[in-house]
Amino acid sequence: MLEKIHSAPGQSTSASDLYDWDELVQEDRVHRLIYTDPAIFQAEMTHIFGAVWVYLGHESQVPKNDDFITARLGLRPIILLRDSQGKIRALFNRCTHRGTTLCRKDKGSARMFTCPYHGWSYLNSGKLRAVPWPDGYACDFKDAKYNVAQVPRVDSYRGFIFGTLNLDAPPLIDYLGGITKPIDEWLDRQPNGKIAVCEANRLKFKGNWKLAYDNSGDGYHVVFSHRSLLEMENRQADVANKGMSYYKGSPDSAPMYMAYMGNGHHFKDKRPAIEKRAGGLWAVEGPAPGTEHYQDELRRRYGGKAEDILDLASSEPVNINVFPNFSLLGNHIQVFEPVSVDETNVTWYGTAVVDEEGALGGAADDINALRMRTMEQFPNFGEVDDLANFEEIQRGLACLEDEWVYMHRGLGIPGRVKTDASGIITAPATDEAFMREYIKEWKRLMKAQPNIAVKREP
Ligand code: FES
Ligand SMILES: [Fe+2]
């Protein structure tokens, strides 16, 4: 049963009358208000996080019937689950009685959820199951309005689960569009084209969520913002090409690039800088304490197969960014979660190889142990630099009278930014072309009127 969400009489849910969006988002610059105005943030929760496909979680986090995790759709708390019939659902984590959250755990297994407040209980299909002392009620609890509201459209792409409240949103596959190609390539390097999500580095910053998305493909800041990490990586004489060192010198003439794929999605591809040979990826993996010993041990143990095994433990040199809240970078899934206009959670989920068919000859645990070491590195030694930048931008944007944020690197230079026949825009690694393009899409969405609905079991 679908419930259309209507705006109250005389009140528009449209953000279109909030501001002149063409004034706030111009070709070369955006107004500080898009990062600082609580009213714009509130509108984004409907016009962005209600209107497009938003990443909710991965199928490996709910592998069996009755498994659940809790997640967020914008600010809405969600229980993402596989119900007792095996169907993946995204329930609003909200009791239909007086509104309290039904589930306060991060993950688990449950055939039903009992509200901690007055004990109403619900099946994991969202259907109301029982109400304590029902003889105190004159209503008919079979009325669908007492069943938990849920996200009307939930779909997954190769294990990645997305949801949207917008009945008019295109199918997920069309929304992802060209970004499926790098996602496929990212998955297809894994045995059986699969990964399992493991534990996470959970970080937060006092800044607007778009600051993280702006930065997700920014190749301009790397040598400046991450100087301490680069120096650490390059301290050892024989590792001059390791880690992020391909940003040294002149990154725009290095064989890496950024590509804008439409619908706000973009892709930083550093793979062309890697030697195409077994062990080529491991050769550039940033150094981390203890990995040399592990590498030597794996070479001793696996002989000729060791280089492929080491490559599987190495970070994939891509940033694949799916608007508005999902990135694949290295071997991580990074999720951006808005909390308020000036607070954001960034969670870096690790991923593990899975080898149900035994194709890796028992090496999966060794790969995953080393992979865990390589995944510890960037969130701890690099992301902290980025978060400091985001917080300092938010502080800087408190200067009311200095209104504009520029994102015009690469704009107006003939031949620098290229558009191919399929509409994919490519530019050198340090260009801000992807920022200009995604923020145009953001502007389009803020002006548009999504067709928002929730669903309840009949
Ligand atoms: S709020 Fe859930 S039973 Fe009362
Ligand atoms: Fe960074």
Side-chain angles (χ1 to χ4, degrees):
M1 172 176 284
L2 275 172
E3 267 173 55
K4 299 286 290 295
I5 310 300
H6 297 295
S7 42
Q11 202 190 23
S12 173
T13 55
S14 170
S16 52
D17 40 5
L18 257 185
Y19 286 106
D20 176 352
W21 299 102
D22 293 323
E23 172 69 16
L24 291 190
V25 174
Q26 301 177 10
E27 191 184 19
D28 61 334
R29 63 184 190 174
V30 297
H31 198 276
R32 57 176 287 284
L33 279 170
I34 75 166
Y35 303 102
T36 60
D37 185 350
I40 292 181
F41 178 83
Q42 278 308 320
E44 287 178 326
M45 294 305 107
T46 297
H47 287 259
I48 308 294
F49 284 86
V52 302
W53 289 94
V54 173
Y55 178 71
L56 298 174
H58 189 267
E59 287 177 8
S60 67
Q61 294 173 286
V62 286
K64 297 191 296 296
N65 289 6
D66 302 327
D67 287 348
F68 71 84
I69 59 168
T70 46
R72 292 254 296 268
L73 176 63
L75 296 179
R76 304 161 190 87
I78 295 286
I79 312 171
L80 182 69
L81 57 78
R82 197 182 290 268
D83 74 15
S84 297
Q85 268 65 53
K87 182 176 166 148
I88 292 181
R89 296 175 184 267
L91 306 185
F92 278 18
N93 189 1
R94 181 206 188 278
C95 183
T96 56
H97 177 215
R98 295 247 293 276
T100 187
T101 55
L102 290 169
C103 177
R104 287 123 195 231
K105 292 188 171 145
D106 292 337
K107 59 183 174 185
S109 174
R111 281 176 41 240
M112 57 180 209
F113 296 93
T114 302
C115 180
Y117 199 176
H118 313 95
W120 289 23
S121 61
Y122 302 86
L123 298 174
N124 61 14
S125 63
K127 241 177 144 66
L128 181 65
R129 177 183 160 275
V131 168
W133 306 310
D135 46 2
Y137 282 103
C139 69
D140 176 7
F141 277 114
K142 292 208 164 42
D143 190 327
K145 71 184 181 190
Y146 298 117
N147 297 332
V148 176
Q150 46 193 297
V151 179
R153 298 176 69 193
V154 177
D155 198 358
S156 50
Y157 182 74
R158 295 195 63 180
F160 301 111
I161 306 168
F162 295 79
T164 182
L165 301 173
N166 185 3
L167 302 182
D168 293 345
L172 175 62
I173 187 82
D174 296 344
Y175 177 66
L176 295 173
I179 203 77
T180 54
K181 182 164 181 278
I183 293 174
D184 287 345
E185 289 165 357
W186 188 90
L187 280 167
D188 289 340
R189 105 178 173 95
Q190 320 289 341
N192 313 306
K194 272 193 186 163
I195 50 102
V197 170
C198 32
E199 283 306 325
N201 280 68
R202 293 169 199 277
L203 301 153
K204 57 167 63 220
F205 65 92
K206 293 290 290 172
N208 187 267
W209 67 274
K210 293 188 294 304
L211 297 171
Y213 201 78
D214 290 352
N215 184 71
S216 60
D218 182 324
Y220 198 20
H221 75 290
V222 176
V223 289
F224 309 102
S225 294
H226 301 301
R227 201 173 69 202
S228 60
L229 177 53
L230 263 81
E231 279 177 7
M232 189 269 284
E233 288 177 337
N234 292 310
R235 199 166 294 144
Q236 298 161 54
D238 62 335
V239 294
N241 296 316
K242 287 203 179 256
M244 294 193 295
S245 58
Y246 35 72
Y247 282 104
K248 283 190 314 182
S250 64
D252 283 351
S253 49
M256 59 176 168
Y257 62 95
M258 64 79 41
Y260 179 77
M261 319 295 273
N263 290 341
H265 317 318
H266 56 91
F267 171 43
K268 170 70 61 64
D269 190 2
K270 296 163 276 189
R271 296 171 306 181
I274 310 300
E275 281 180 52
K276 283 179 190 52
R277 60 172 173 87
L281 200 49
W282 180 250
V284 298
E285 181 64 39
T291 52
E292 292 97 333
H293 170 78
Y294 216 90
Q295 155 200 288
D296 296 346
E297 179 60 22
L298 293 184
R299 284 186 173 141
R300 192 186 62 72
R301 215 181 289 169
Y302 294 102
K305 289 210 181 92
E307 300 307 309
D308 289 327
I309 284 170
L310 289 166
D311 281 346
L312 281 172
S314 311
S315 315
E316 179 74 340
V318 292
N319 296 42
I320 301 166
N321 304 298
V322 178
F323 185 75
N325 72 330
F326 171 82
S327 286
L328 293 175
L329 66 175
N331 294 326
H332 287 98
I333 297 168
Q334 188 187 14
V335 181
F336 312 116
E337 195 178 80
V339 176
S340 68
V341 68
D342 58 4
E343 190 175 355
T344 305
N345 294 332
V346 275
T347 308
W348 293 64
Y349 293 93
T351 63
V353 301
V354 279
D355 189 24
E356 288 140 356
E357 281 105 67
L360 295 170
D365 286 351
D366 285 327
I367 291 167
N368 288 332
L370 183 53
R371 193 167 159 128
M372 190 57 83
R373 293 287 85 74
T374 61
M375 287 189 296
E376 281 165 352
Q377 198 185 23
F378 193 82
N380 292 298
F381 296 101
E383 179 70 357
V384 286
D385 302 326
D386 292 324
L387 300 189
N389 283 336
F390 307 157
E391 296 200 342
E392 294 305 318
I393 296 169
Q394 198 76 27
R395 264 164 36 88
L397 295 179
C399 298
L400 301 180
E401 298 75 14
D402 202 359
E403 297 169 279
W404 298 102
V405 173
Y406 289 91
M407 38 181 75
H408 65 310
R409 187 171 167 78
L411 182 67
I413 299 180
R416 191 172 164 108
V417 179
K418 300 187 178 74
T419 306
D420 75 7
S422 61
I424 293 173
I425 296 168
T426 52
T430 68
D431 273 22
E432 291 163 337
F434 76 89
M435 264 182 248
R436 296 191 292 276
E437 295 302 325
Y438 106 74
I439 211 73
K440 264 187 231 166
E441 178 62 10
W442 179 88
K443 176 166 76 171
R444 188 190 70 75
L445 289 161
M446 293 303 278
K447 290 180 183 178
Q449 186 59 57
N451 183 10
I452 301 282
V454 293
K455 187 174 79 173
R456 295 178 206 265
E457 281 299 280

